[in-house]
Amino acid sequence: LGDYIIEKNTLENLSEQLVQQIADREARLGKSCDPNQLSDIVSASHFSEVLDLAVQAASNTSDEELLSKIRKYAHDINLTTIRNSLSHANRDYKLQYWYLAASLGTLPEIESLGLKNVIENVISAENDDLKEPPKEWLAETSNKIPNNLPAYFEHDSTGLVGRNREAKELTKLILNKRVNTIAVVAPGGVGKTALVLDLLHNLSFTTETANNFNGLIFVSLKTEELTPNGIKSLSAIQSLEELKNAILDTFNDLWNTDYDNFDSLISSDIEHKPLLFIDNLETLIRDNESIFNDFNSSLPYDWKVLITSRINVSTAKTLPLPTLSSPAASQLAREYQKNKGSLPLNQDEIDKVINNCNFNPLAIKLTLDYWSLGNSLPTAWQKANSGIAEFSFKNLISSLSSESIEVLELLFTADRCSRKDICNLLSINIDESAKAISELSKTSLIRRITEADHEYYEINASIRDFLLVSPKNINVRQKVQTNIRKNKDRAIEIIRLQNTKNISEYSENFIPEHIDETLKINLHKVNKLCHQKSKGNVDFEKITDTYTEFQEIGSVYNNDYLYQRTLARLYTLMHDNINAKASLLKAYKINSNDVATAILLAKSYHEEREYDESEKIYTKLLEKTDIRNDRCTWYSILNGYYICLLHQSKYEMIFDSTKKWRDDSQYGSTLGTYRASAFKRKIETQIENNETDELYKSFNSALKIMHTVLKESGYFFVATREAYKIIDSISYYFFNRRNSLCAEQVKSAHQLLTFCDEHIKDIYQKQNKDTSELYKFVKHARSLSIDNNPFSSTKWDIRKSPSEEIGVSFNTINSCKKFVRTKVQNIPNDNGLRKPFIFTEDAYKKRYFVHRNTFKNGENVHFYSLEVGDDLAIMPEKIAGRELEQSIETYHIK
């Protein structure tokens, strides 16, 4: 073991504390011991210390586990006691000590480490001959199972460094009887072959391996070898038939059989069950994996197949092999230099080498070889990486489909991409993208990265260097760069416009800045279409064209809530409420925290009269108090919530939640409006059920609240809408009574008329009600026999319709000769609501545009009472950019 430690020459791996302990002990004894000299440390160490030093010297190599087992066994058999007994003549020496010591000398780990002199001495002692034993004795007593593993490995100069974890995982797979085929997959130069050969060499001495297999068959399909002088071609197996023949020949040699062909071998009832190791399988399966799969399926059940490959094998249990860790790569570089006898690099230089070689073992070794030949370090690692790229990827790329090459070039240009990015930038569908990614993933040319539940793909660092000088489709790079620039410019402009318009983050038109450019562009397109539709400026064909485009990206964005929400809006434009609802539900399931999605879904439930479901969503939204600062959104939520409660007759819930409506400085008017509406609904129930005791209290509460709301907050749409309904309900009660009113009724009727005297004109005007309706109300109000009836005053003395009342003579106003006599030809409206303008035409069928702001002999209510055919005198004026002349002064004439 002392010789082993000195031969390893890894002083930096030894425990400083243990080394110093040995040196201090020697100093106390007056002996010289240099702690920087391995030979001094080993010579001065005690037996147990030698065991510890040996394990430390093998740190991070495959020998470490073997030596750890030997150390543990030595401790278990109490070898120190045996040694002490042997060294002191006066102590008893028991017979069992010999056999315990001999068992240590015959451990399989001893032979695996190559400590042959220990085994030779045990055999000599067993035969009462302490001379050199005959060679055939050693062969007969070897623990090694039959194999044709090579005697020399690529890593013999350094040992296998930094692969302990992978070696343990691979051992478990090899000894797992449920796993029949194992594939170690990695790019070239990472050390697949070195790992497997080193592990199989050690396993060939263990009883666990012998219990599972009675032989190891090694077949190499490696066609090239990378050296400092470039890629060297090797004569290797290149077809399935050659592989079968190689297995047949090895099998006959190992077990001294004489099978004529491979079929007779695998069909015979043989007792041998080998572990078959096929190195560099990609040379065989690159073009047709099914050939190997059929071959593998034909092998006897007891055979296990172990593969190394740069391409994934679909039927195998895969063990991906990463590059080395930084400490392991650093250790490899130091040991390789030491064993090559070249001048040592300092740690900073070693760090630069391993980082620029991407921690690839072969690249590190080649870099050090080039450096020892006189190249500078940058030149050395550039040469190494270029050689690695060509060695690892040249043959693989040549067999790829055109779609895979396009994806490879895309990843070279755009760095990291998701599946969405691949589809968008190459203009391919999700199936084509999946096929290309699957093919590339088998080759280890790309790697998959998962971050925060998002999947990305990026090109292998080594292949980037290769593609830089050997592009496979330069047109793809140009196309991708153009698309990236164009999409980024459009996306930036979309966000700029959004910020200019101050679109709320809770709006259904809001586009988050963090989403990818393609989705931004498509969402903006639909938002614009919805806006045009609301203005009546888009036809159905344009909607269907947009829908078709939107569907094309569905395979990529199908699980994105923004896509589903916007798709629902498109369905709504096409009056497909079933699919619109389905898309909204999917969007809400994906992201129930999105406010815009929740509001749209709540509205959808409301339209379908599913008020309870709508209420649930609005209730959750009301818990998000941070939305309160967005007045428009919070108003929308409040309106939706309270309308749902009204429809479900949940008046008490409204009363409870609006008790302190006047304390809410921001939204008190809205809360008060719905509180009054709840009283109005309660009034209707009380009238129907003759609950007269509470009826007049409800009248009083509803009118009192609405009066306060209108006085303090003005005639906003929701308030005037509910006020109109309240007036309609209460007035119906009074206007249709045939009996005289009692004292309570008189009091309530007077309150109604007082309220209407102050507010009804503005309420009717805001709600675009016809003047004839106002005329009818006034007529009924005047007929109520109550004292101090405000509608008995002269200002409400309306005996004619408003349009008749205000008419003037055309000749009276046309003294300046600038007016034209016209008739109302068209009165536009939107969903039943009158627009603030009309169109007229003169006797020569010439059309004019007339806005209500130009109406001179009447109020807005009179303008909205005009009908088609009514006579108007207009003063026309030509406005630049307008097709029709526009009236700048308008009168209704008799």
Side-chain angles (χ1 to χ4, degrees), residues 586-765:
K586 189 168 185 178
Y588 190 68
K589 185 176 181 181
I590 295 169
N591 185 4
S592 60
N593 291 318
D594 181 61
V595 174
T597 302
I599 291 175
L600 285 174
L601 182 58
K603 287 180 178 179
S604 175
Y605 277 127
H606 188 279
E607 289 171 2
E608 294 177 0
R609 308 299 187 262
E610 296 182 51
Y611 301 120
D612 55 335
E613 294 296 330
S614 184
E615 179 196 337
K616 289 176 186 176
I617 296 175
Y618 281 126
T619 301
K620 287 183 180 179
L621 289 171
L622 287 171
E623 295 171 0
K624 299 178 182 291
T625 53
D626 54 309
I627 310 175
R628 278 182 63 94
N629 295 327
D630 190 305
R631 295 179 68 86
C632 183
T633 304
W634 196 250
Y635 275 129
S636 176
I637 295 169
L638 286 176
N639 288 328
Y641 174 69
Y642 283 111
I643 290 173
C644 282
L645 295 183
L646 288 172
H647 280 301
Q648 297 177 88
S649 302
K650 294 183 178 181
Y651 308 134
E652 294 305 320
M653 285 182 64
I654 298 176
F655 295 143
D656 288 342
S657 62
T658 59
K659 278 181 182 177
K660 299 180 179 180
W661 67 275
R662 299 203 66 176
D663 296 340
D664 193 326
S665 58
Q666 278 186 293
Y667 303 101
S669 58
T670 300
L671 298 177
T673 296
Y674 283 108
R675 184 175 180 84
S677 292
F679 276 115
K680 175 255 180 187
R681 295 293 183 102
K682 195 174 180 181
I683 287 168
E684 293 170 350
T685 305
Q686 289 169 340
I687 292 173
E688 185 177 344
N689 298 327
N690 295 317
E691 299 174 10
T692 54
D693 293 341
E694 295 295 322
L695 176 61
Y696 307 115
K697 290 181 182 179
S698 298
F699 282 166
N700 177 62
S701 298
L703 293 171
K704 188 176 180 181
I705 293 169
M706 285 311 308
H707 173 72
T708 303
V709 169
L710 296 174
K711 290 292 286 183
E712 294 182 358
S713 302
Y715 297 90
F716 59 96
F717 182 80
V718 173
T720 56
R721 181 190 67 196
E722 297 304 314
Y724 173 80
K725 293 177 182 178
I726 292 170
I727 292 172
D728 186 58
S729 290
I730 300 177
S731 61
Y732 181 83
Y733 175 77
F734 287 113
F735 293 167
N736 289 279
R737 296 192 67 82
R738 296 181 180 179
N739 301 324
S740 58
L741 305 179
C742 66
E744 284 291 332
Q745 292 170 339
V746 169
K747 185 178 178 181
S748 294
H750 190 271
Q751 186 180 1
L752 168 67
L753 298 180
T754 303
F755 175 84
C756 293
D757 178 48
E758 183 171 356
H759 300 296
I760 196 166
K761 277 190 177 181
D762 293 300
I763 291 171
Y764 273 43
Q765 181 179 338

Side-chain angles (χ1 to χ4, degrees), residues 340-351:
K340 285 288 185 178
S342 58
L343 292 174
L345 296 170
N346 61 44
Q347 190 58 47
D348 286 343
E349 291 171 323
I350 287 176
D351 288 342

Side-chain angles (χ1 to χ4, degrees), residues 490-516:
R490 290 179 67 186
I492 290 170
E493 179 62 15
I494 287 168
I495 298 301
R496 187 192 68 78
L497 287 172
Q498 178 171 273
N499 293 336
T500 302
K501 294 178 180 179
N502 292 320
I503 296 176
S504 164
E505 64 178 302
Y506 305 120
S507 167
E508 61 197 45
N509 293 312
F510 181 75
I511 300 174
E513 194 166 350
H514 68 272
I515 64 174
D516 65 66

Side-chain angles (χ1 to χ4, degrees), residues 769-783:
K769 297 302 177 182
D770 193 277
T771 20
S772 60
E773 190 174 338
L774 177 61
Y775 177 79
K776 186 185 295 183
F777 176 87
V778 173
K779 184 177 179 181
H780 284 293
R782 288 171 67 88
S783 67

Side-chain angles (χ1 to χ4, degrees), residues 303-482:
W303 289 35
K304 178 163 286 195
V305 179
L306 175 59
I307 299 160
T308 62
S309 176
R310 300 175 196 175
I311 301 174
N312 282 333
V313 182
S314 58
T315 56
K317 176 69 175 178
T318 300
L319 176 69
L321 190 63
T323 52
L324 292 175
S325 65
S326 180
S330 180
Q331 180 181 343
L332 174 72
R334 289 195 304 270
E335 294 191 9
Y336 189 73
Q337 274 190 293
K338 189 186 301 178
N339 288 305
K340 285 288 185 178
S342 58
L343 292 174
L345 296 170
N346 61 44
Q347 190 58 47
D348 286 343
E349 291 171 323
I350 287 176
D351 288 342
K352 288 179 181 178
V353 168
I354 63 177
N355 278 284
N356 282 282
C357 290
N358 301 305
F359 306 101
N360 182 298
L362 182 56
I364 293 169
K365 293 178 181 180
L366 284 173
T367 297
L368 297 175
D369 286 341
Y370 285 127
W371 179 71
S372 66
L373 292 174
N375 293 279
S376 67
L377 280 178
T379 301
W381 64 57
Q382 285 172 7
K383 283 185 176 182
N385 285 329
S386 177
I388 287 284
E390 185 174 1
F391 172 64
S392 299
F393 307 122
K394 183 177 180 181
N395 291 334
L396 292 180
I397 292 176
S398 63
S399 65
L400 293 176
S401 65
S402 59
E403 291 83 1
S404 295
I405 288 177
E406 286 192 14
V407 172
L408 201 61
E409 290 286 7
L410 165 63
L411 295 177
F412 174 88
T413 307
D415 196 19
R416 178 181 292 189
C417 289
S418 65
R419 287 180 183 258
K420 296 176 183 177
D421 299 328
I422 292 170
C423 292
N424 295 333
L425 293 174
L426 293 178
S427 301
I428 60 177
N429 61 41
I430 197 72
D431 293 332
E432 293 169 329
S433 166
K435 183 179 178 181
I437 289 172
S438 175
E439 184 176 19
L440 287 169
S441 297
K442 291 180 179 180
T443 64
S444 70
L445 294 171
I446 64 174
R447 67 191 189 102
R448 178 177 175 269
I449 302 166
T450 304
E451 291 180 359
D453 295 330
H454 293 288
E455 178 186 76
Y456 301 97
Y457 295 90
E458 67 179 19
I459 200 169
N460 185 294
S462 300
I463 186 60
R464 175 174 291 282
D465 297 331
F466 178 68
L467 287 177
L468 182 64
V469 295
S470 304
K472 299 304 171 187
N473 192 335
I474 199 69
N475 292 330
V476 170
R477 297 186 191 181
Q478 295 170 343
K479 173 185 174 182
V480 168
Q481 288 169 347
T482 301

